[in-house]
Amino acid sequence: MSEKTLSIIKPDAVAKGVIGQIIDCFASNNLKIAALKMIHMSKREAQGFYAVHSERPFFDSLTDFMSSGPAVVMVLSGENAISKNRELMGATNPAEAAEGTLRKRFATDIEKNAVHGSDAPETAREEIVYFFPELEIVNF
């Protein structure tokens, strides 16, 4: 089933200069980029995006991190894009991520874990519209 998902290359991975390697991983696994841009979220924008975690103890440090530098946001499109992207990312904790996954290769720790990906179709729809108006998304 063809679907879309949001992917974020987080500030730690941008700072490491691995944007191209991460995008190449998506392209090599039949995920097309339907939209792409570099942004620098404010603390408020990061809080809005991660509002679902607002009651969690890590919320403040997560939103500090996500607003600490530029990030690349993109919409990936393809067959089972959500599950494929999550498989490519690996476990949230890079210490537990499988060899070869993006988080195993590029993450710093459980919070600075290089990439974000939507976890379900509903979340993907909500997350995509947070960053991209419909006009900016290419349909393949």
Side-chain angles (χ1 to χ4, degrees):
M1 174 176 96
S2 186
E3 60 190 4
K4 291 182 177 76
T5 188
L6 183 80
S7 175
I8 301 176
I9 302 175
K10 295 182 177 183
D12 59 323
V14 171
K16 289 177 184 174
V18 296
I19 297 168
Q21 292 173 67
I22 292 171
I23 290 173
D24 184 55
C25 177
F26 296 142
S28 299
N29 285 278
N30 299 313
L31 290 172
K32 294 181 176 165
I33 296 174
L36 172 103
K37 60 186 165 186
M38 183 176 280
I39 61 169
H40 189 151
M41 281 188 270
S42 68
K43 174 82 169 179
R44 176 183 274 167
E45 289 163 337
Q47 289 170 329
F49 181 73
Y50 285 104
V52 67
H53 298 302
S54 63
E55 300 301 316
R56 301 272 182 93
F58 59 81
F59 181 71
D60 198 48
S61 62
L62 172 64
T63 55
D64 281 345
F65 164 61
M66 289 302 292
S67 59
S68 69
V72 174
V73 291
M74 67 189 98
V75 177
L76 301 175
S77 177
E79 288 296 311
N80 301 307
I82 295 168
S83 60
K84 188 178 286 186
N85 182 38
R86 294 191 67 76
E87 181 181 325
L88 294 171
M89 288 190 315
T92 302
N93 183 347
E96 298 170 2
E99 285 301 322
T101 61
L102 295 171
R103 287 179 171 150
K104 188 65 156 189
R105 292 169 61 198
F106 304 121
T108 305
D109 56 42
I110 194 165
E111 189 170 277
K112 296 176 180 76
N113 60 9
V115 287
H116 165 90
S118 304
D119 62 4
E122 308 76 45
T123 330
R125 282 190 292 277
E126 292 170 13
E127 291 182 347
I128 288 168
V129 300
Y130 193 84
F131 295 109
F132 295 97
E134 193 172 327
L135 183 63
E136 292 182 6
I137 303 170
V138 175
N139 290 307
F140 291 100

Tab-separated table of all heavy atoms in Angstrom, residues 4-65:
chain	number	residue	atom	x	y	z
A	4	LYS	N	2.261	7.940	2.758
A	4	LYS	CA	3.222	9.001	3.053
A	4	LYS	C	3.521	9.005	4.545
A	4	LYS	O	2.669	8.653	5.357
A	4	LYS	CB	2.665	10.360	2.636
A	4	LYS	CG	2.537	10.538	1.138
A	4	LYS	CD	2.027	11.931	0.818
A	4	LYS	CE	1.964	12.176	-0.660
A	4	LYS	NZ	0.831	11.504	-1.301
A	5	THR	N	4.724	9.425	4.875
A	5	THR	CA	5.126	9.548	6.270
A	5	THR	C	6.035	10.750	6.424
A	5	THR	O	6.690	11.169	5.464
A	5	THR	CB	5.826	8.256	6.766
A	5	THR	OG1	6.030	8.350	8.178
A	5	THR	CG2	7.151	8.015	6.061
A	6	LEU	N	6.065	11.301	7.624
A	6	LEU	CA	6.981	12.401	7.909
A	6	LEU	C	8.292	11.820	8.415
A	6	LEU	O	8.299	10.881	9.206
A	6	LEU	CB	6.420	13.349	8.970
A	6	LEU	CG	7.346	14.546	9.230
A	6	LEU	CD1	7.156	15.612	8.158
A	6	LEU	CD2	7.147	15.122	10.603
A	7	SER	N	9.378	12.397	7.964
A	7	SER	CA	10.703	12.046	8.462
A	7	SER	C	11.412	13.341	8.830
A	7	SER	O	11.299	14.340	8.120
A	7	SER	CB	11.497	11.303	7.388
A	7	SER	OG	12.820	11.076	7.837
A	8	ILE	N	12.122	13.314	9.952
A	8	ILE	CA	12.927	14.463	10.359
A	8	ILE	C	14.361	13.987	10.565
A	8	ILE	O	14.597	13.003	11.266
A	8	ILE	CB	12.430	15.107	11.670
A	8	ILE	CG1	10.985	15.581	11.542
A	8	ILE	CG2	13.344	16.271	12.076
A	8	ILE	CD1	10.394	16.136	12.841
A	9	ILE	N	15.291	14.692	9.950
A	9	ILE	CA	16.700	14.509	10.270
A	9	ILE	C	16.966	15.540	11.348
A	9	ILE	O	16.901	16.745	11.117
A	9	ILE	CB	17.604	14.711	9.043
A	9	ILE	CG1	17.210	13.727	7.926
A	9	ILE	CG2	19.076	14.526	9.441
A	9	ILE	CD1	17.977	13.920	6.623
A	10	LYS	N	17.212	15.050	12.557
A	10	LYS	CA	17.284	15.904	13.742
A	10	LYS	C	18.589	16.718	13.795
A	10	LYS	O	19.545	16.414	13.083
A	10	LYS	CB	17.144	15.041	14.998
A	10	LYS	CG	15.767	14.382	15.120
A	10	LYS	CD	15.668	13.570	16.402
A	10	LYS	CE	14.293	12.963	16.575
A	10	LYS	NZ	14.171	12.235	17.856
A	11	PRO	N	18.605	17.746	14.659
A	11	PRO	CA	19.773	18.636	14.723
A	11	PRO	C	21.117	17.933	14.933
A	11	PRO	O	22.127	18.385	14.382
A	11	PRO	CB	19.444	19.566	15.896
A	11	PRO	CG	17.944	19.644	15.892
A	11	PRO	CD	17.510	18.255	15.512
A	12	ASP	N	21.150	16.838	15.671
A	12	ASP	CA	22.432	16.151	15.878
A	12	ASP	C	22.974	15.570	14.583
A	12	ASP	O	24.161	15.688	14.281
A	12	ASP	CB	22.328	15.072	16.968
A	12	ASP	CG	21.302	13.989	16.686
A	12	ASP	OD1	20.227	14.296	16.130
A	12	ASP	OD2	21.563	12.821	17.050
A	13	ALA	N	22.101	14.967	13.770
A	13	ALA	CA	22.532	14.384	12.494
A	13	ALA	C	22.881	15.472	11.478
A	13	ALA	O	23.814	15.316	10.694
A	13	ALA	CB	21.453	13.454	11.948
A	14	VAL	N	22.140	16.584	11.500
A	14	VAL	CA	22.471	17.709	10.617
A	14	VAL	C	23.865	18.227	10.969
A	14	VAL	O	24.709	18.442	10.094
A	14	VAL	CB	21.415	18.835	10.706
A	14	VAL	CG1	21.873	20.079	9.953
A	14	VAL	CG2	20.064	18.356	10.167
A	15	ALA	N	24.137	18.392	12.265
A	15	ALA	CA	25.438	18.892	12.717
A	15	ALA	C	26.575	17.946	12.330
A	15	ALA	O	27.693	18.393	12.066
A	15	ALA	CB	25.429	19.118	14.228
A	16	LYS	N	26.295	16.644	12.275
A	16	LYS	CA	27.314	15.661	11.897
A	16	LYS	C	27.551	15.619	10.388
A	16	LYS	O	28.462	14.938	9.921
A	16	LYS	CB	26.905	14.258	12.368
A	16	LYS	CG	26.982	14.063	13.855
A	16	LYS	CD	26.500	12.670	14.250
A	16	LYS	CE	26.483	12.515	15.753
A	16	LYS	NZ	25.890	11.226	16.156
A	17	GLY	N	26.702	16.301	9.617
A	17	GLY	CA	26.868	16.333	8.167
A	17	GLY	C	26.468	15.054	7.459
A	17	GLY	O	27.051	14.710	6.429
A	18	VAL	N	25.456	14.359	7.991
A	18	VAL	CA	25.064	13.079	7.395
A	18	VAL	C	23.706	13.131	6.678
A	18	VAL	O	23.110	12.088	6.400
A	18	VAL	CB	25.093	11.944	8.458
A	18	VAL	CG1	26.523	11.729	8.958
A	18	VAL	CG2	24.154	12.230	9.617
A	19	ILE	N	23.260	14.330	6.330
A	19	ILE	CA	21.972	14.473	5.637
A	19	ILE	C	21.945	13.623	4.364
A	19	ILE	O	21.002	12.874	4.124
A	19	ILE	CB	21.692	15.948	5.284
A	19	ILE	CG1	21.562	16.792	6.548
A	19	ILE	CG2	20.447	16.074	4.412
A	19	ILE	CD1	21.572	18.296	6.284
A	20	GLY	N	22.975	13.739	3.563
A	20	GLY	CA	23.026	13.004	2.292
A	20	GLY	C	22.994	11.502	2.484
A	20	GLY	O	22.316	10.783	1.728
A	21	GLN	N	23.709	11.009	3.476
A	21	GLN	CA	23.723	9.565	3.732
A	21	GLN	C	22.346	9.065	4.171
A	21	GLN	O	21.929	7.968	3.782
A	21	GLN	CB	24.770	9.237	4.806
A	21	GLN	CG	26.199	9.459	4.337
A	21	GLN	CD	27.186	9.280	5.470
A	21	GLN	OE1	27.349	8.174	5.979
A	21	GLN	NE2	27.826	10.358	5.878
A	22	ILE	N	21.656	9.868	4.956
A	22	ILE	CA	20.319	9.470	5.403
A	22	ILE	C	19.343	9.489	4.225
A	22	ILE	O	18.586	8.536	4.019
A	22	ILE	CB	19.846	10.369	6.568
A	22	ILE	CG1	20.715	10.090	7.812
A	22	ILE	CG2	18.364	10.143	6.867
A	22	ILE	CD1	20.494	11.049	8.969
A	23	ILE	N	19.382	10.530	3.422
A	23	ILE	CA	18.506	10.594	2.248
A	23	ILE	C	18.811	9.453	1.290
A	23	ILE	O	17.904	8.837	0.724
A	23	ILE	CB	18.618	11.977	1.570
A	23	ILE	CG1	17.967	13.038	2.468
A	23	ILE	CG2	17.986	11.961	0.172
A	23	ILE	CD1	18.145	14.464	1.991
A	24	ASP	N	20.087	9.139	1.106
A	24	ASP	CA	20.474	8.031	0.233
A	24	ASP	C	19.893	6.711	0.742
A	24	ASP	O	19.459	5.874	-0.050
A	24	ASP	CB	21.998	7.945	0.139
A	24	ASP	CG	22.430	6.876	-0.844
A	24	ASP	OD1	21.988	6.918	-2.014
A	24	ASP	OD2	23.203	5.976	-0.443
A	25	CYS	N	19.865	6.528	2.050
A	25	CYS	CA	19.278	5.320	2.625
A	25	CYS	C	17.800	5.204	2.247
A	25	CYS	O	17.344	4.136	1.860
A	25	CYS	CB	19.449	5.339	4.145
A	25	CYS	SG	18.692	3.923	4.981
A	26	PHE	N	17.076	6.320	2.338
A	26	PHE	CA	15.657	6.295	1.956
A	26	PHE	C	15.508	5.954	0.474
A	26	PHE	O	14.723	5.086	0.094
A	26	PHE	CB	14.985	7.638	2.256
A	26	PHE	CG	14.945	8.002	3.709
A	26	PHE	CD1	15.131	9.312	4.109
A	26	PHE	CD2	14.718	7.049	4.692
A	26	PHE	CE1	15.089	9.668	5.453
A	26	PHE	CE2	14.674	7.391	6.046
A	26	PHE	CZ	14.865	8.702	6.417
A	27	ALA	N	16.274	6.640	-0.375
A	27	ALA	CA	16.189	6.427	-1.826
A	27	ALA	C	16.559	4.991	-2.188
A	27	ALA	O	15.928	4.380	-3.057
A	27	ALA	CB	17.091	7.417	-2.552
A	28	SER	N	17.559	4.434	-1.532
A	28	SER	CA	18.008	3.064	-1.802
A	28	SER	C	16.980	2.029	-1.373
A	28	SER	O	17.081	0.862	-1.750
A	28	SER	CB	19.319	2.780	-1.061
A	28	SER	OG	20.323	3.657	-1.498
A	29	ASN	N	16.030	2.452	-0.579
A	29	ASN	CA	14.990	1.546	-0.088
A	29	ASN	C	13.617	1.909	-0.647
A	29	ASN	O	12.581	1.675	-0.011
A	29	ASN	CB	14.994	1.532	1.442
A	29	ASN	CG	16.171	0.744	1.985
A	29	ASN	OD1	16.109	-0.474	2.057
A	29	ASN	ND2	17.261	1.428	2.321
A	30	ASN	N	13.623	2.494	-1.835
A	30	ASN	CA	12.398	2.784	-2.595
A	30	ASN	C	11.443	3.742	-1.908
A	30	ASN	O	10.228	3.646	-2.084
A	30	ASN	CB	11.671	1.493	-2.976
A	30	ASN	CG	12.529	0.611	-3.848
A	30	ASN	OD1	13.131	1.097	-4.815
A	30	ASN	ND2	12.627	-0.654	-3.518
A	31	LEU	N	11.972	4.655	-1.106
A	31	LEU	CA	11.145	5.722	-0.549
A	31	LEU	C	11.465	6.995	-1.335
A	31	LEU	O	12.625	7.394	-1.437
A	31	LEU	CB	11.441	5.913	0.937
A	31	LEU	CG	10.971	4.773	1.843
A	31	LEU	CD1	11.485	4.964	3.262
A	31	LEU	CD2	9.449	4.678	1.839
A	32	LYS	N	10.438	7.591	-1.896
A	32	LYS	CA	10.606	8.815	-2.681
A	32	LYS	C	10.394	10.032	-1.787
A	32	LYS	O	9.563	10.000	-0.875
A	32	LYS	CB	9.619	8.849	-3.840
A	32	LYS	CG	9.889	7.773	-4.853
A	32	LYS	CD	8.909	7.845	-5.994
A	32	LYS	CE	9.322	6.794	-7.009
A	32	LYS	NZ	8.324	6.504	-7.979
A	33	ILE	N	11.109	11.089	-2.076
A	33	ILE	CA	10.931	12.333	-1.327
A	33	ILE	C	9.852	13.156	-2.018
A	33	ILE	O	10.034	13.623	-3.137
A	33	ILE	CB	12.248	13.106	-1.222
A	33	ILE	CG1	13.251	12.282	-0.422
A	33	ILE	CG2	12.008	14.459	-0.573
A	33	ILE	CD1	14.632	12.864	-0.358
A	34	ALA	N	8.727	13.308	-1.327
A	34	ALA	CA	7.587	14.053	-1.864
A	34	ALA	C	7.631	15.520	-1.441
A	34	ALA	O	6.948	16.361	-2.022
A	34	ALA	CB	6.280	13.408	-1.409
A	35	ALA	N	8.440	15.838	-0.428
A	35	ALA	CA	8.630	17.221	0.036
A	35	ALA	C	9.881	17.231	0.910
A	35	ALA	O	10.189	16.226	1.564
A	35	ALA	CB	7.419	17.702	0.823
A	36	LEU	N	10.578	18.382	0.918
A	36	LEU	CA	11.816	18.455	1.692
A	36	LEU	C	12.170	19.903	1.956
A	36	LEU	O	12.074	20.741	1.058
A	36	LEU	CB	12.955	17.802	0.893
A	36	LEU	CG	14.355	17.958	1.458
A	36	LEU	CD1	14.779	16.658	2.130
A	36	LEU	CD2	15.336	18.292	0.366
A	37	LYS	N	12.577	20.203	3.197
A	37	LYS	CA	13.094	21.534	3.505
A	37	LYS	C	13.884	21.497	4.808
A	37	LYS	O	13.675	20.639	5.657
A	37	LYS	CB	11.995	22.584	3.569
A	37	LYS	CG	10.902	22.351	4.598
A	37	LYS	CD	9.810	23.412	4.430
A	37	LYS	CE	8.538	23.037	5.159
A	37	LYS	NZ	7.455	23.985	4.869
A	38	MET	N	14.807	22.459	4.913
A	38	MET	CA	15.556	22.620	6.144
A	38	MET	C	14.897	23.734	6.932
A	38	MET	O	14.543	24.778	6.370
A	38	MET	CB	17.022	22.956	5.869
A	38	MET	CG	17.847	23.059	7.146
A	38	MET	SD	19.600	23.346	6.837
A	38	MET	CE	20.131	21.682	6.457
A	39	ILE	N	14.750	23.494	8.243
A	39	ILE	CA	14.108	24.465	9.121
A	39	ILE	C	14.928	24.596	10.402
A	39	ILE	O	15.793	23.756	10.673
A	39	ILE	CB	12.656	24.037	9.477
A	39	ILE	CG1	12.666	22.692	10.226
A	39	ILE	CG2	11.785	23.979	8.234
A	39	ILE	CD1	11.332	22.318	10.848
A	40	HIS	N	14.646	25.616	11.158
A	40	HIS	CA	15.195	25.738	12.513
A	40	HIS	C	14.004	26.098	13.401
A	40	HIS	O	13.564	27.246	13.417
A	40	HIS	CB	16.282	26.807	12.582
A	40	HIS	CG	17.017	26.806	13.886
A	40	HIS	ND1	18.308	27.218	13.990
A	40	HIS	CD2	16.650	26.432	15.137
A	40	HIS	CE1	18.711	27.108	15.254
A	40	HIS	NE2	17.704	26.632	15.960
A	41	MET	N	13.483	25.104	14.097
A	41	MET	CA	12.299	25.303	14.927
A	41	MET	C	12.623	26.167	16.142
A	41	MET	O	13.686	26.043	16.734
A	41	MET	CB	11.765	23.962	15.445
A	41	MET	CG	10.957	23.189	14.452
A	41	MET	SD	10.167	21.734	15.209
A	41	MET	CE	11.443	20.505	14.941
A	42	SER	N	11.678	26.998	16.497
A	42	SER	CA	11.753	27.702	17.775
A	42	SER	C	11.343	26.716	18.866
A	42	SER	O	10.791	25.645	18.578
A	42	SER	CB	10.791	28.892	17.780
A	42	SER	OG	9.440	28.422	17.765
A	43	LYS	N	11.600	27.064	20.091
A	43	LYS	CA	11.176	26.220	21.225
A	43	LYS	C	9.661	26.009	21.161
A	43	LYS	O	9.178	24.889	21.320
A	43	LYS	CB	11.592	26.884	22.548
A	43	LYS	CG	11.089	26.192	23.792
A	43	LYS	CD	11.923	25.016	24.199
A	43	LYS	CE	11.503	24.572	25.610
A	43	LYS	NZ	12.242	23.433	26.066
A	44	ARG	N	8.917	27.066	20.885
A	44	ARG	CA	7.448	26.977	20.810
A	44	ARG	C	7.009	26.021	19.687
A	44	ARG	O	6.090	25.221	19.862
A	44	ARG	CB	6.842	28.353	20.606
A	44	ARG	CG	5.320	28.290	20.430
A	44	ARG	CD	4.730	29.632	20.152
A	44	ARG	NE	4.477	30.279	21.421
A	44	ARG	CZ	4.193	31.559	21.552
A	44	ARG	NH1	4.152	32.341	20.491
A	44	ARG	NH2	3.939	32.070	22.723
A	45	GLU	N	7.662	26.099	18.535
A	45	GLU	CA	7.312	25.205	17.419
A	45	GLU	C	7.622	23.746	17.780
A	45	GLU	O	6.826	22.851	17.472
A	45	GLU	CB	8.059	25.617	16.157
A	45	GLU	CG	7.544	26.927	15.580
A	45	GLU	CD	8.499	27.577	14.596
A	45	GLU	OE1	9.719	27.302	14.638
A	45	GLU	OE2	8.021	28.388	13.785
A	46	ALA	N	8.753	23.525	18.439
A	46	ALA	CA	9.094	22.164	18.871
A	46	ALA	C	8.076	21.660	19.899
A	46	ALA	O	7.652	20.503	19.849
A	46	ALA	CB	10.506	22.133	19.442
A	47	GLN	N	7.657	22.539	20.807
A	47	GLN	CA	6.645	22.154	21.800
A	47	GLN	C	5.325	21.808	21.109
A	47	GLN	O	4.642	20.865	21.508
A	47	GLN	CB	6.428	23.279	22.810
A	47	GLN	CG	7.591	23.458	23.752
A	47	GLN	CD	7.476	24.718	24.597
A	47	GLN	OE1	6.912	25.733	24.175
A	47	GLN	NE2	8.040	24.662	25.793
A	48	GLY	N	4.966	22.560	20.087
A	48	GLY	CA	3.748	22.269	19.345
A	48	GLY	C	3.816	20.927	18.643
A	48	GLY	O	2.867	20.133	18.687
A	49	PHE	N	4.947	20.664	18.016
A	49	PHE	CA	5.097	19.400	17.296
A	49	PHE	C	5.061	18.211	18.255
A	49	PHE	O	4.446	17.193	17.967
A	49	PHE	CB	6.396	19.380	16.481
A	49	PHE	CG	6.559	18.111	15.705
A	49	PHE	CD1	5.786	17.874	14.581
A	49	PHE	CD2	7.458	17.144	16.112
A	49	PHE	CE1	5.910	16.690	13.867
A	49	PHE	CE2	7.587	15.952	15.412
A	49	PHE	CZ	6.812	15.722	14.284
A	50	TYR	N	5.732	18.319	19.382
A	50	TYR	CA	5.818	17.223	20.345
A	50	TYR	C	4.788	17.337	21.467
A	50	TYR	O	4.961	16.735	22.535
A	50	TYR	CB	7.233	17.137	20.934
A	50	TYR	CG	8.227	16.552	19.961
A	50	TYR	CD1	9.145	17.359	19.301
A	50	TYR	CD2	8.245	15.180	19.689
A	50	TYR	CE1	10.060	16.822	18.401
A	50	TYR	CE2	9.153	14.638	18.792
A	50	TYR	CZ	10.055	15.462	18.152
A	50	TYR	OH	10.954	14.928	17.262
A	51	ALA	N	3.698	18.067	21.252
A	51	ALA	CA	2.675	18.282	22.281
A	51	ALA	C	2.163	16.970	22.873
A	51	ALA	O	1.825	16.916	24.065
A	51	ALA	CB	1.514	19.099	21.715
A	52	VAL	N	2.135	15.913	22.084
A	52	VAL	CA	1.668	14.613	22.563
A	52	VAL	C	2.512	14.119	23.753
A	52	VAL	O	2.042	13.340	24.575
A	52	VAL	CB	1.645	13.572	21.416
A	52	VAL	CG1	3.050	13.242	20.931
A	52	VAL	CG2	0.911	12.312	21.822
A	53	HIS	N	3.742	14.604	23.852
A	53	HIS	CA	4.639	14.198	24.939
A	53	HIS	C	4.728	15.236	26.063
A	53	HIS	O	5.599	15.140	26.926
A	53	HIS	CB	6.053	13.962	24.394
A	53	HIS	CG	6.139	12.870	23.386
A	53	HIS	ND1	5.744	11.577	23.645
A	53	HIS	CD2	6.583	12.871	22.104
A	53	HIS	CE1	5.941	10.833	22.572
A	53	HIS	NE2	6.440	11.591	21.626
A	54	SER	N	3.835	16.222	26.072
A	54	SER	CA	3.968	17.350	26.997
A	54	SER	C	3.964	16.962	28.475
A	54	SER	O	4.524	17.674	29.294
A	54	SER	CB	2.889	18.402	26.737
A	54	SER	OG	1.602	17.860	26.977
A	55	GLU	N	3.375	15.833	28.814
A	55	GLU	CA	3.336	15.394	30.212
A	55	GLU	C	4.519	14.500	30.585
A	55	GLU	O	4.680	14.132	31.745
A	55	GLU	CB	2.016	14.659	30.502
A	55	GLU	CG	0.782	15.511	30.266
A	55	GLU	CD	0.751	16.778	31.102
A	55	GLU	OE1	1.074	16.709	32.306
A	55	GLU	OE2	0.422	17.841	30.548
A	56	ARG	N	5.332	14.160	29.611
A	56	ARG	CA	6.463	13.268	29.860
A	56	ARG	C	7.639	14.029	30.468
A	56	ARG	O	7.841	15.205	30.176
A	56	ARG	CB	6.920	12.606	28.552
A	56	ARG	CG	5.853	11.798	27.850
A	56	ARG	CD	5.859	10.359	28.375
A	56	ARG	NE	4.901	9.505	27.721
A	56	ARG	CZ	5.171	8.755	26.668
A	56	ARG	NH1	6.365	8.761	26.124
A	56	ARG	NH2	4.239	7.980	26.171
A	57	PRO	N	8.434	13.366	31.298
A	57	PRO	CA	9.554	14.058	31.957
A	57	PRO	C	10.626	14.560	30.983
A	57	PRO	O	11.344	15.504	31.301
A	57	PRO	CB	10.127	12.996	32.902
A	57	PRO	CG	9.564	11.696	32.461
A	57	PRO	CD	8.293	11.983	31.738
A	58	PHE	N	10.718	13.974	29.803
A	58	PHE	CA	11.743	14.367	28.831
A	58	PHE	C	11.307	15.486	27.890
A	58	PHE	O	12.073	15.929	27.046
A	58	PHE	CB	12.198	13.154	28.006
A	58	PHE	CG	11.086	12.482	27.227
A	58	PHE	CD1	10.647	12.990	26.013
A	58	PHE	CD2	10.488	11.334	27.725
A	58	PHE	CE1	9.628	12.373	25.292
A	58	PHE	CE2	9.461	10.706	27.017
A	58	PHE	CZ	9.034	11.238	25.798
A	59	PHE	N	10.058	15.977	28.042
A	59	PHE	CA	9.507	16.964	27.111
A	59	PHE	C	10.377	18.214	26.984
A	59	PHE	O	10.672	18.661	25.876
A	59	PHE	CB	8.085	17.347	27.543
A	59	PHE	CG	7.424	18.347	26.635
A	59	PHE	CD1	7.015	17.995	25.356
A	59	PHE	CD2	7.191	19.645	27.067
A	59	PHE	CE1	6.389	18.909	24.519
A	59	PHE	CE2	6.563	20.573	26.243
A	59	PHE	CZ	6.166	20.202	24.966
A	60	ASP	N	10.797	18.778	28.094
A	60	ASP	CA	11.562	20.019	28.050
A	60	ASP	C	12.914	19.821	27.370
A	60	ASP	O	13.306	20.613	26.510
A	60	ASP	CB	11.733	20.599	29.458
A	60	ASP	CG	12.123	22.061	29.413
A	60	ASP	OD1	11.474	22.839	28.675
A	60	ASP	OD2	13.095	22.432	30.095
A	61	SER	N	13.624	18.755	27.723
A	61	SER	CA	14.931	18.534	27.106
A	61	SER	C	14.778	18.167	25.630
A	61	SER	O	15.600	18.572	24.797
A	61	SER	CB	15.742	17.476	27.862
A	61	SER	OG	15.093	16.233	27.853
A	62	LEU	N	13.720	17.432	25.278
A	62	LEU	CA	13.476	17.088	23.875
A	62	LEU	C	13.225	18.343	23.046
A	62	LEU	O	13.814	18.518	21.975
A	62	LEU	CB	12.277	16.137	23.764
A	62	LEU	CG	11.775	15.839	22.344
A	62	LEU	CD1	12.835	15.119	21.526
A	62	LEU	CD2	10.493	15.020	22.398
A	63	THR	N	12.383	19.229	23.542
A	63	THR	CA	12.074	20.433	22.768
A	63	THR	C	13.251	21.404	22.756
A	63	THR	O	13.449	22.117	21.770
A	63	THR	CB	10.775	21.092	23.271
A	63	THR	OG1	10.871	21.347	24.670
A	63	THR	CG2	9.571	20.188	22.995
A	64	ASP	N	14.062	21.415	23.813
A	64	ASP	CA	15.312	22.191	23.779
A	64	ASP	C	16.218	21.666	22.673
A	64	ASP	O	16.762	22.433	21.876
A	64	ASP	CB	16.063	22.089	25.112
A	64	ASP	CG	15.509	22.996	26.194
A	64	ASP	OD1	14.726	23.920	25.876
A	64	ASP	OD2	15.858	22.771	27.374
A	65	PHE	N	16.379	20.355	22.628
A	65	PHE	CA	17.225	19.732	21.613
A	65	PHE	C	16.707	20.003	20.206
A	65	PHE	O	17.466	20.396	19.312
A	65	PHE	CB	17.337	18.226	21.867
A	65	PHE	CG	17.844	17.449	20.693
A	65	PHE	CD1	19.107	17.703	20.160
A	65	PHE	CD2	17.072	16.471	20.102
A	65	PHE	CE1	19.576	16.995	19.052
A	65	PHE	CE2	17.530	15.757	19.001
A	65	PHE	CZ	18.781	16.023	18.478
